[in-house]
Amino acid sequence: MTRPLPIIEPFRIKSVEPLRMTTHAERVELVRAAHGNLFLLAAEDVLIDLLTDSGTGAMSSEQWAAIMRADESYAGARSYYRFEASVHEIFGLEHVIPTHQGRAAEHLLFQTLTGPGDVVPNNTHFDTTRANVEATGATALDLPCAESHDMESDFPFKGDMDLPALERCLAEHAGHVPLVMVTITNNAGGGQPVSLACLRAVRALCDQAGVPLYIDACRFAENAYLIRRREPDQRGRPIKDIVHDMFALADGCTMSAKKEGMANIGGFLAVREPELARELRARLVVTEGFPTYGGMAGRDLEAVAQGLREVLDEAYQEYRHASIRYVVEHLDAAGIPVVLPAGGHAIFLDAGRFLPHLGWRQYPGQALAIELYLEGGIRSCEIGSLMRNARDERTGEELPAPQELVRLAIPRRTYTKSQMDYVIEIVRRVFERRDEVRGVEIESGPEVLRHFSAHFRRVDVRAPAPSA
Ligand code: F0G
């Protein structure tokens, strides 16, 4: 029998950046100085930075070459036309509006389409999407499918939307749903993919109700790869054909090119309707820039134009998913509660089950993220009650999030397999002493997007001793 070859990084390294080791004692001090908030650490004090996969990846030699060729003209730059051509070719949406990052595209879209009394359904809003919907006075409604709540099942499309709930929402709020949005992959819900079948069904419901469908496209190629791998009638199809079918269903999309644009900054909004495009561009000039650069330099437009093509490379996607599966499988085999099956851009630890002695008010996700940093200098991010910051509409009282997760987001083309082995070992070490991990409470912080800047205090909730 021939053994299968391991899937290797389909690139070699041309430029390196040294990492700085810190001692445990130094990290204790650094966490104290950052008030328990890992966003407030200096990046130099982090060994392996898994805070986000957004804008943190490595660019290719072709991207750097394109950057040198960029045209920085204010209007009508060659780089804009290359960018527009890439978006047309891949997404098939006519009107392309460059923005400095994803949330600027969201801001433009929701400021234009939504207002007080409106409801925007989404499989799960990412935090900036929610903030932008709510900033217009509209309600951001999450409608994840029922299967998404079981983090151990191997259901292949936990990113799917709850279709009966969407149908009810469209009927109940008829005339007040300006758009439906689907986030691919579902970042806040564990990086899980949305099936093509679900997208088609959402489109059919939107057609019945006469409501446009928008896609939050940040991780579109990873989603398409997982459709090919998991959706029986999509096996064997090229990723770019699946992408084409997904976006043929949409009236528009918002995109953070910091993810699958393979660039360090950038984004866009793309729509079909010319009237809407005119209105959006009028706003764009006020807040971002002239329509042929938006919020981007010519060199950013070039990096994204090239990156969007590279992200569709089959060998790249094979490697990307194999490296994430590798970590998930090793953690799962060690009995560590991790969201299954592996998603596309990150490993999600289930902090609720990892630290069962902590209630949601002790923010187990934040407690675990702190511990991973103390143990091995790894920076991760809480995606749970802290980030969600849900409130009872009447009383304003804080409510728990459906899940308490810690995300280890993997920057693209950046860390090697041996660095992933190090991550696995650090998580195992924290798991072995999980009973000692203390919870946190918020000492101070803002009301909106509080997880970025809140200060935390450790609280002494530990697992009871076995004899107690
Ligand atoms: N939508 C999704 C699904 C995202 O994951 C993000 C960003 C955005 C929109 C906003 O894009 O950052 O370019 O303004 N997610 C990053 C993350 C920050 O770490 O997951 P942006």
Side-chain angles (χ1 to χ4, degrees):
M1 195 188 90
T2 47
R3 289 184 300 275
L5 283 171
I7 292 173
I8 59 167
E9 288 85 357
F11 49 80
R12 55 185 176 170
I13 295 167
K14 198 171 205 165
S15 174
V16 297
E17 189 181 357
L19 293 175
R20 193 171 80 82
M21 294 279 186
T22 47
T23 63
H24 187 269
E26 283 171 334
R27 291 194 292 275
V28 169
E29 259 325 295
L30 290 162
V31 165
R32 186 167 305 151
H35 304 277
N37 189 332
L38 305 182
F39 283 98
L40 304 181
L41 289 171
E44 270 186 331
D45 295 328
V46 175
L47 184 65
I48 308 257
D49 204 344
L50 308 182
L51 187 63
T52 178
D53 62 323
S54 179
T56 50
M59 285 202 288
S60 67
S61 44
E62 286 302 319
Q63 283 178 294
W64 286 110
I67 282 172
M68 292 309 293
R69 284 194 296 268
D71 175 359
E72 301 296 347
S73 303
Y74 189 94
R78 184 175 66 240
S79 301
Y80 172 73
Y81 294 111
R82 264 178 51 78
F83 174 83
E84 188 190 41
S86 267
V87 177
H88 280 165
E89 182 186 313
I90 296 166
F91 300 92
L93 292 159
E94 286 82 353
H95 303 283
V96 183
I97 295 161
T99 59
H100 78 276
Q101 61 184 91
R103 67 198 70 182
E106 294 165 359
H107 178 76
L108 280 174
L109 183 70
F110 294 117
Q111 288 291 325
T112 308
L113 292 186
T114 63
D118 286 339
V119 174
V120 179
N122 196 321
N123 45 348
T124 308
H125 289 82
F126 182 66
D127 57 353
T128 60
T129 323
R130 175 184 311 285
N132 273 303
V133 169
E134 289 174 351
T136 71
T139 302
L141 188 64
D142 290 344
L143 301 176
C145 66
E147 290 84 350
S148 69
H149 302 301
D150 180 355
M151 280 174 276
E152 288 170 274
S153 88
D154 59 1
F155 186 74
F157 291 107
K158 290 183 191 172
D160 279 358
M161 211 170 195
D162 182 338
L163 295 167
L166 176 62
E167 193 168 10
R168 281 196 301 276
C169 165
L170 288 167
E172 195 179 319
H173 302 284
H176 298 284
V177 182
L179 72 154
V180 171
M181 198 164 211
V182 179
T183 305
I184 62 170
T185 55
N186 185 8
N187 185 8
Q192 298 291 317
V194 178
S195 64
L196 193 53
C198 174
L199 274 175
R200 288 190 173 127
V202 171
R203 174 78 246 179
L205 291 174
C206 286
D207 282 344
Q208 264 175 34
V211 170
L213 170 61
Y214 280 76
I215 295 180
D216 177 337
C218 294
R219 299 176 181 86
F220 70 100
E222 287 165 7
N223 198 96
Y225 173 91
L226 291 169
I227 284 179
R228 178 172 71 195
R229 209 178 148 88
R230 299 182 188 170
E231 200 161 338
D233 61 351
Q234 299 298 316
R235 296 235 164 90
R237 295 188 67 205
I239 293 172
K240 68 174 187 8
D241 291 358
I242 298 175
V243 168
H244 176 270
D245 290 358
M246 284 161 33
F247 286 87
L249 299 167
D251 294 283
C253 75
T254 55
M255 171 77 186
S256 167
K258 300 174 74 173
K259 284 80 170 174
E260 289 205 295
M262 308 285 255
N264 301 120
I265 195 76
F268 60 84
L269 174 59
V271 299
R272 287 196 199 284
E273 214 207 295
E275 235 346 276
L276 176 61
R278 249 192 299 280
E279 204 178 327
L280 292 166
R281 286 193 177 111
R283 278 182 198 270
L284 183 80
V285 183
V286 179
T287 58
E288 289 279 294
F290 187 75
T292 61
Y293 70 85
M296 292 159 87
R299 44 186 168 270
D300 304 328
L301 291 164
E302 291 281 353
V304 175
Q306 176 63 25
L308 286 173
R309 296 202 162 100
E310 291 180 9
V311 83
L312 295 172
D313 180 71
E314 302 278 340
Y316 163 73
Q317 285 291 339
E318 288 291 345
Y319 136 79
R320 170 87 175 147
H321 291 266
S323 60
I324 292 185
R325 275 200 310 275
Y326 176 81
V327 180
V328 168
E329 282 166 11
H330 278 75
L331 294 178
D332 184 40
I336 293 167
V338 62
V339 176
L340 297 172
H345 70 294
I347 295 104
F348 289 78
L349 302 175
D350 180 351
R353 281 190 294 137
F354 198 116
L355 303 174
H357 58 288
L358 301 184
W360 69 270
R361 282 182 184 282
Q362 283 103 40
Y363 304 112
Q366 186 64 15
L368 179 54
I370 291 172
E371 227 52 52
L372 295 174
Y373 178 73
L374 290 174
E375 186 70 39
I378 297 170
R379 178 154 67 170
S380 56
C381 175
E382 190 261 12
I383 298 199
S385 296
L386 172 68
M387 180 187 273
R388 183 63 210 279
N389 197 8
R391 302 278 155 180
D392 184 293
E393 260 177 38
R394 276 184 310 108
T395 62
E397 203 193 330
E398 189 172 345
L399 299 170
Q403 294 149 354
E404 303 295 340
L405 304 178
V406 169
R407 185 184 71 171
L408 306 171
I410 309 299
R412 295 176 179 78
R413 307 187 288 204
T414 304
Y415 292 114
T416 61
K417 189 170 168 199
S418 60
Q419 288 165 325
M420 290 300 107
D421 285 326
Y422 174 87
V423 169
I424 293 167
E425 180 55 28
I426 294 301
V427 178
R428 292 186 66 154
R429 288 184 185 193
V430 173
F431 190 62
E432 277 158 17
R433 59 175 183 77
R434 60 191 177 280
D435 293 352
E436 301 161 18
V437 174
R438 291 183 296 162
V440 299
E441 64 187 16
I442 298 176
E443 200 171 69
S444 61
E447 276 173 28
V448 177
L449 298 179
R450 62 183 179 175
H451 55 290
F452 288 132
S453 57
H455 290 182
F456 300 96
R457 198 178 353 207
R458 302 299 283 270
V459 289
D460 219 357
V461 180
R462 297 176 202 231
S467 58

mmCIF file of all heavy atoms in Angstrom, residues 187-207:
data_model
loop_
_atom_site.group_PDB
_atom_site.id
_atom_site.type_symbol
_atom_site.label_atom_id
_atom_site.label_comp_id
_atom_site.label_asym_id
_atom_site.label_seq_id
_atom_site.Cartn_x
_atom_site.Cartn_y
_atom_site.Cartn_z
ATOM 1 N N ASN A 187 -18.162 33.494 10.822
ATOM 2 C CA ASN A 187 -17.040 33.744 11.732
ATOM 3 C C ASN A 187 -17.466 33.657 13.195
ATOM 4 O O ASN A 187 -16.916 32.875 13.971
ATOM 5 C CB ASN A 187 -16.458 35.125 11.411
ATOM 6 C CG ASN A 187 -15.218 35.440 12.219
ATOM 7 O OD1 ASN A 187 -14.681 34.594 12.923
ATOM 8 N ND2 ASN A 187 -14.750 36.664 12.125
ATOM 9 N N ALA A 188 -18.491 34.445 13.578
ATOM 10 C CA ALA A 188 -18.883 34.492 14.990
ATOM 11 C C ALA A 188 -19.486 33.165 15.453
ATOM 12 O O ALA A 188 -19.550 32.893 16.654
ATOM 13 C CB ALA A 188 -19.856 35.642 15.217
ATOM 14 N N GLY A 189 -19.901 32.316 14.512
ATOM 15 C CA GLY A 189 -20.485 31.023 14.881
ATOM 16 C C GLY A 189 -19.506 29.873 14.695
ATOM 17 O O GLY A 189 -19.921 28.764 14.347
ATOM 18 N N GLY A 190 -18.227 30.101 14.858
ATOM 19 C CA GLY A 190 -17.252 29.007 14.817
ATOM 20 C C GLY A 190 -16.592 28.803 13.455
ATOM 21 O O GLY A 190 -16.020 27.749 13.208
ATOM 22 N N GLY A 191 -16.683 29.798 12.560
ATOM 23 C CA GLY A 191 -16.006 29.690 11.259
ATOM 24 C C GLY A 191 -16.587 28.585 10.395
ATOM 25 O O GLY A 191 -15.910 28.019 9.533
ATOM 26 N N GLN A 192 -17.865 28.280 10.600
ATOM 27 C CA GLN A 192 -18.493 27.160 9.895
ATOM 28 C C GLN A 192 -19.054 27.613 8.540
ATOM 29 O O GLN A 192 -19.549 28.730 8.405
ATOM 30 C CB GLN A 192 -19.611 26.575 10.758
ATOM 31 C CG GLN A 192 -19.117 26.006 12.080
ATOM 32 C CD GLN A 192 -18.279 24.751 11.908
ATOM 33 O OE1 GLN A 192 -18.610 23.877 11.119
ATOM 34 N NE2 GLN A 192 -17.162 24.673 12.618
ATOM 35 N N PRO A 193 -19.004 26.728 7.540
ATOM 36 C CA PRO A 193 -19.434 27.114 6.193
ATOM 37 C C PRO A 193 -20.956 27.098 6.001
ATOM 38 O O PRO A 193 -21.683 26.469 6.766
ATOM 39 C CB PRO A 193 -18.796 26.037 5.313
ATOM 40 C CG PRO A 193 -18.676 24.843 6.192
ATOM 41 C CD PRO A 193 -18.438 25.365 7.584
ATOM 42 N N VAL A 194 -21.381 27.785 4.950
ATOM 43 C CA VAL A 194 -22.781 27.818 4.528
ATOM 44 C C VAL A 194 -22.857 27.007 3.234
ATOM 45 O O VAL A 194 -22.033 27.197 2.331
ATOM 46 C CB VAL A 194 -23.224 29.280 4.258
ATOM 47 C CG1 VAL A 194 -24.662 29.328 3.759
ATOM 48 C CG2 VAL A 194 -23.057 30.133 5.519
ATOM 49 N N SER A 195 -23.851 26.116 3.127
ATOM 50 C CA SER A 195 -23.957 25.279 1.930
ATOM 51 C C SER A 195 -24.535 26.072 0.765
ATOM 52 O O SER A 195 -25.241 27.071 0.960
ATOM 53 C CB SER A 195 -24.841 24.063 2.217
ATOM 54 O OG SER A 195 -26.156 24.495 2.501
ATOM 55 N N LEU A 196 -24.243 25.600 -0.426
ATOM 56 C CA LEU A 196 -24.834 26.221 -1.620
ATOM 57 C C LEU A 196 -26.350 25.998 -1.604
ATOM 58 O O LEU A 196 -27.129 26.878 -1.967
ATOM 59 C CB LEU A 196 -24.195 25.601 -2.866
ATOM 60 C CG LEU A 196 -24.438 26.300 -4.198
ATOM 61 C CD1 LEU A 196 -24.080 27.782 -4.143
ATOM 62 C CD2 LEU A 196 -23.649 25.618 -5.307
ATOM 63 N N ALA A 197 -26.767 24.834 -1.114
ATOM 64 C CA ALA A 197 -28.213 24.545 -1.033
ATOM 65 C C ALA A 197 -28.898 25.571 -0.139
ATOM 66 O O ALA A 197 -29.996 26.051 -0.456
ATOM 67 C CB ALA A 197 -28.429 23.133 -0.498
ATOM 68 N N CYS A 198 -28.272 25.923 0.964
ATOM 69 C CA CYS A 198 -28.878 26.893 1.882
ATOM 70 C C CYS A 198 -28.930 28.268 1.217
ATOM 71 O O CYS A 198 -29.951 28.960 1.284
ATOM 72 C CB CYS A 198 -28.084 26.950 3.186
ATOM 73 S SG CYS A 198 -28.662 28.242 4.281
ATOM 74 N N LEU A 199 -27.828 28.661 0.561
ATOM 75 C CA LEU A 199 -27.833 29.968 -0.127
ATOM 76 C C LEU A 199 -28.968 30.029 -1.149
ATOM 77 O O LEU A 199 -29.640 31.056 -1.289
ATOM 78 C CB LEU A 199 -26.496 30.198 -0.830
ATOM 79 C CG LEU A 199 -25.372 30.818 0.005
ATOM 80 C CD1 LEU A 199 -24.090 30.863 -0.802
ATOM 81 C CD2 LEU A 199 -25.741 32.221 0.484
ATOM 82 N N ARG A 200 -29.173 28.922 -1.864
ATOM 83 C CA ARG A 200 -30.251 28.895 -2.872
ATOM 84 C C ARG A 200 -31.615 29.044 -2.198
ATOM 85 O O ARG A 200 -32.494 29.748 -2.694
ATOM 86 C CB ARG A 200 -30.200 27.592 -3.669
ATOM 87 C CG ARG A 200 -29.018 27.566 -4.617
ATOM 88 C CD ARG A 200 -29.097 26.386 -5.592
ATOM 89 N NE ARG A 200 -28.038 26.504 -6.580
ATOM 90 C CZ ARG A 200 -27.160 25.544 -6.874
ATOM 91 N NH1 ARG A 200 -27.241 24.367 -6.281
ATOM 92 N NH2 ARG A 200 -26.221 25.757 -7.774
ATOM 93 N N ALA A 201 -31.777 28.368 -1.065
ATOM 94 C CA ALA A 201 -33.068 28.442 -0.362
ATOM 95 C C ALA A 201 -33.301 29.853 0.196
ATOM 96 O O ALA A 201 -34.425 30.366 0.156
ATOM 97 C CB ALA A 201 -33.086 27.409 0.754
ATOM 98 N N VAL A 202 -32.233 30.483 0.693
ATOM 99 C CA VAL A 202 -32.364 31.863 1.195
ATOM 100 C C VAL A 202 -32.771 32.781 0.036
ATOM 101 O O VAL A 202 -33.662 33.622 0.156
ATOM 102 C CB VAL A 202 -31.045 32.351 1.841
ATOM 103 C CG1 VAL A 202 -31.110 33.842 2.162
ATOM 104 C CG2 VAL A 202 -30.744 31.558 3.114
ATOM 105 N N ARG A 203 -32.136 32.553 -1.118
ATOM 106 C CA ARG A 203 -32.462 33.363 -2.303
ATOM 107 C C ARG A 203 -33.950 33.214 -2.662
ATOM 108 O O ARG A 203 -34.635 34.197 -2.952
ATOM 109 C CB ARG A 203 -31.590 32.919 -3.472
ATOM 110 C CG ARG A 203 -31.894 33.542 -4.792
ATOM 111 C CD ARG A 203 -31.328 34.948 -4.879
ATOM 112 N NE ARG A 203 -32.340 35.971 -4.969
ATOM 113 C CZ ARG A 203 -32.091 37.280 -5.029
ATOM 114 N NH1 ARG A 203 -30.852 37.736 -4.960
ATOM 115 N NH2 ARG A 203 -33.045 38.152 -5.112
ATOM 116 N N ALA A 204 -34.440 31.979 -2.595
ATOM 117 C CA ALA A 204 -35.846 31.733 -2.951
ATOM 118 C C ALA A 204 -36.771 32.482 -1.985
ATOM 119 O O ALA A 204 -37.752 33.103 -2.406
ATOM 120 C CB ALA A 204 -36.138 30.241 -2.944
ATOM 121 N N LEU A 205 -36.431 32.460 -0.693
ATOM 122 C CA LEU A 205 -37.266 33.182 0.291
ATOM 123 C C LEU A 205 -37.185 34.689 0.058
ATOM 124 O O LEU A 205 -38.186 35.402 0.170
ATOM 125 C CB LEU A 205 -36.824 32.833 1.722
ATOM 126 C CG LEU A 205 -37.118 31.404 2.177
ATOM 127 C CD1 LEU A 205 -36.510 31.135 3.560
ATOM 128 C CD2 LEU A 205 -38.632 31.140 2.212
ATOM 129 N N CYS A 206 -35.999 35.177 -0.284
ATOM 130 C CA CYS A 206 -35.832 36.603 -0.568
ATOM 131 C C CYS A 206 -36.673 36.993 -1.790
ATOM 132 O O CYS A 206 -37.307 38.060 -1.814
ATOM 133 C CB CYS A 206 -34.367 36.941 -0.836
ATOM 134 S SG CYS A 206 -33.359 36.947 0.652
ATOM 135 N N ASP A 207 -36.668 36.134 -2.804
ATOM 136 C CA ASP A 207 -37.457 36.415 -4.019
ATOM 137 C C ASP A 207 -38.942 36.513 -3.692
ATOM 138 O O ASP A 207 -39.614 37.442 -4.135
ATOM 139 C CB ASP A 207 -37.228 35.323 -5.078
ATOM 140 C CG ASP A 207 -35.897 35.514 -5.799
ATOM 141 O OD1 ASP A 207 -35.323 36.623 -5.695
ATOM 142 O OD2 ASP A 207 -35.427 34.546 -6.428
#
